[in-house]
């Protein structure tokens, strides 16, 4: 049976976050260098966005570069930054055509100037788009985000703009890089690794986690469907009992 027919379009996740992992291993298996793997990951990005759009997923967040990834060889880091600039430029017309609003989370000012400039330009040009919000996590680390959040909230307390007693989950949400995004419903990680790697720790508190052995450059429409089907077969209880959910 056509996989797509098994998907209930009324209950697709609102926010899907993806840890795009396995580019290096994919390249190695072909006797190529790691950068070749990153380049070949772009097709998987395009296909993921196409499929998410077709199913009506409103928010897609892609983990493209972590705070820890700065520790990689300079050659690889440079190649990743160049790839980012080139693909953002190349894909801008596609973002416009499909009304995709581009957003970024992470320590953006730590990126090379050229990457910052291109990114801000694409964000500005797509800001009125409203069919999907595509967020790139760049130089992103969840712990760094939380540290940054605590600093910003503390400043407000010191300046008497905020009372300590009034700090609640909402205030914290509003100071995270993801202040304008809903909680993650479904997190997909490719390549068989079963860890979070400092991605959206707060925002994934109640996300469904989906792990697949497929390496990122091989990830296609059917693989995305599989993740959605699995998500739709889970029971999200949010602490309640099963009976409370199904009543
Ligand atoms: C994910 O693939 C891409 C980035 C982290 C930028 P990897 O480069 O981590 O690939 P593996 O995990 O080494 O195979
Ligand atoms: C996580 O992948 C970061 C991105 C996909 C951008 P890594 O390959 O860097 O994660 P670890 O080091 O294996 O946990
Ligand atoms: Mg990896």
């Amino acid at each position: 049976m056509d996989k797509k027919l098994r998907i209930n379009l009324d209950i697709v996740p609102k926010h899907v976050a993806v840890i795009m992992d396995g580019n290096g291993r994919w390249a190695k298996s072909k006797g190529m260098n790691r950068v070749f793997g990153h380049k070949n990951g772009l097709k998987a990005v395009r296909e993921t966005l196409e499929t998410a759009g077709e199913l009506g997923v409103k928010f897609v967040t892609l983990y493209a570069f972590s705070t820890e990834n700065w520790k990689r060889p300079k050659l690889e880091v440079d190649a990743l930054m160049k790839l980012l600039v080139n693909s953002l430029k190349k894909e801008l017309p596609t973002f416009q055509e499909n009304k995709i609003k581009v957003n970024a989370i992470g320590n953006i000012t730590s990126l090379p100037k050229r990457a910052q400039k291109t990114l801000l330009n694409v964000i500005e040009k797509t800001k009125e788009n409203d069919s999907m919000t595509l967020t790139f996590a760049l130089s992103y680390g969840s712990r760094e985000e939380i540290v940054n959040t605590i600093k910003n909230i503390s400043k407000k307390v010191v300046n008497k703009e905020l009372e300590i007693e009034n700090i609640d989950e909402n205030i914290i949400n509003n100071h995270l890089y993801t202040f304008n995004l809903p909680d993650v419903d479904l997190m997909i990680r490719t390549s068989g690794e079963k860890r979070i790697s400092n991605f959206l720790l707060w925002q994934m508190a109640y996300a469904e986690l989906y792990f697949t052995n497929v390496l990122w450059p091989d990830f296609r429409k059917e693989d995305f469907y599989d993740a959605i089907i699995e998500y739709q077969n889970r029971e999200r209880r949010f602490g309640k009992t099963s009976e409370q959910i199904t009543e």
Side-chain angles (χ1 to χ4, degrees):
M1 181 168 134
D2 185 353
K3 261 183 199 160
K4 198 185 164 191
L5 296 174
R6 290 169 54 199
I7 295 174
N8 178 350
L9 293 176
D10 294 332
I11 48 166
V12 292
K14 198 170 171 193
H15 186 177
V16 177
V18 188
I19 303 181
M20 312 182 287
D21 199 13
N23 297 351
R25 279 163 282 170
W26 184 89
K28 197 174 172 195
S29 77
K30 299 197 152 30
M32 303 296 280
N33 64 24
R34 300 180 52 84
V35 175
F36 181 73
H38 297 314
K39 287 185 178 154
N40 279 276
L42 293 174
K43 186 160 167 48
V45 172
R46 268 183 237 112
E47 198 138 330
T48 296
L49 295 178
E50 245 176 69
T51 317
E54 168 201 305
L55 296 178
V57 175
K58 282 296 195 188
F59 296 86
V60 174
T61 299
L62 301 177
Y63 204 5
F65 194 86
S66 73
T67 45
E68 289 75 24
N69 288 150
W70 289 113
K71 295 178 201 149
R72 292 192 179 193
K74 186 177 178 324
L75 214 75
E76 182 173 346
V77 171
D78 289 350
L80 278 166
M81 292 302 151
K82 201 170 151 196
L83 200 60
L84 171 73
V85 170
N86 291 344
S87 33
L88 279 172
K89 282 186 179 160
K90 187 162 169 253
E91 299 301 324
L92 181 58
T94 316
F95 297 147
Q96 301 297 42
E97 234 169 83
N98 297 289
K99 296 204 165 39
I100 296 174
K101 176 180 180 159
V102 175
N103 179 42
I105 56 173
N107 187 1
I108 302 305
T109 52
S110 70
L111 299 174
K113 285 279 168 302
R114 244 167 74 82
Q116 288 186 48
K117 207 178 138 216
T118 311
L119 188 63
L120 294 179
N121 177 51
V122 173
I123 290 174
E124 173 62 26
K125 293 223 163 90
T126 61
K127 69 176 183 202
E128 306 293 344
N129 292 347
D130 58 3
S131 80
M132 178 200 290
T133 300
L134 165 62
T135 302
F136 290 101
L138 290 163
S139 190
Y140 176 87
S142 201
R143 289 184 167 183
E144 192 266 347
E145 176 183 40
I146 291 169
V147 168
N148 185 60
T149 298
I150 292 175
K151 281 186 183 161
N152 287 331
I153 292 177
S154 305
K155 276 182 207 153
K156 289 192 180 168
V157 171
V158 169
N159 294 338
K160 305 217 179 317
E161 289 167 51
L162 185 66
E163 301 270 351
I164 287 187
E165 290 67 33
N166 291 338
I167 297 176
D168 59 9
E169 293 186 9
N170 253 331
I171 298 272
I172 293 179
N173 262 323
N174 293 339
H175 287 80
L176 292 167
Y177 293 136
T178 52
F179 69 93
N180 50 0
L181 305 178
D183 280 353
V184 176
D185 296 303
L186 169 65
M187 190 285 290
I188 300 173
R189 182 171 190 150
T190 57
S191 89
E193 305 300 350
K194 293 178 185 67
R195 53 177 171 264
I196 304 295
S197 302
N198 204 9
F199 191 40
L200 302 171
L201 303 179
W202 170 280
Q203 299 86 341
M204 292 207 292
Y206 256 110
E208 294 299 328
L209 309 180
Y210 179 84
F211 299 98
T212 169
N213 289 332
V214 174
L215 300 173
W216 181 250
D218 288 329
F219 193 81
R220 291 292 173 272
K221 193 177 269 264
E222 299 286 310
D223 301 303
F224 193 84
Y225 287 157
D226 282 339
I228 302 289
I229 291 166
E230 161 94 21
Y231 168 86
Q232 295 193 332
N233 283 318
R234 305 245 182 116
E235 185 178 64
R236 302 188 76 193
R237 289 192 285 274
F238 297 100
K240 295 182 182 175
T241 67
S242 184
E243 290 72 19
Q244 286 175 299
I245 302 297
T246 48
E247 247 159 35

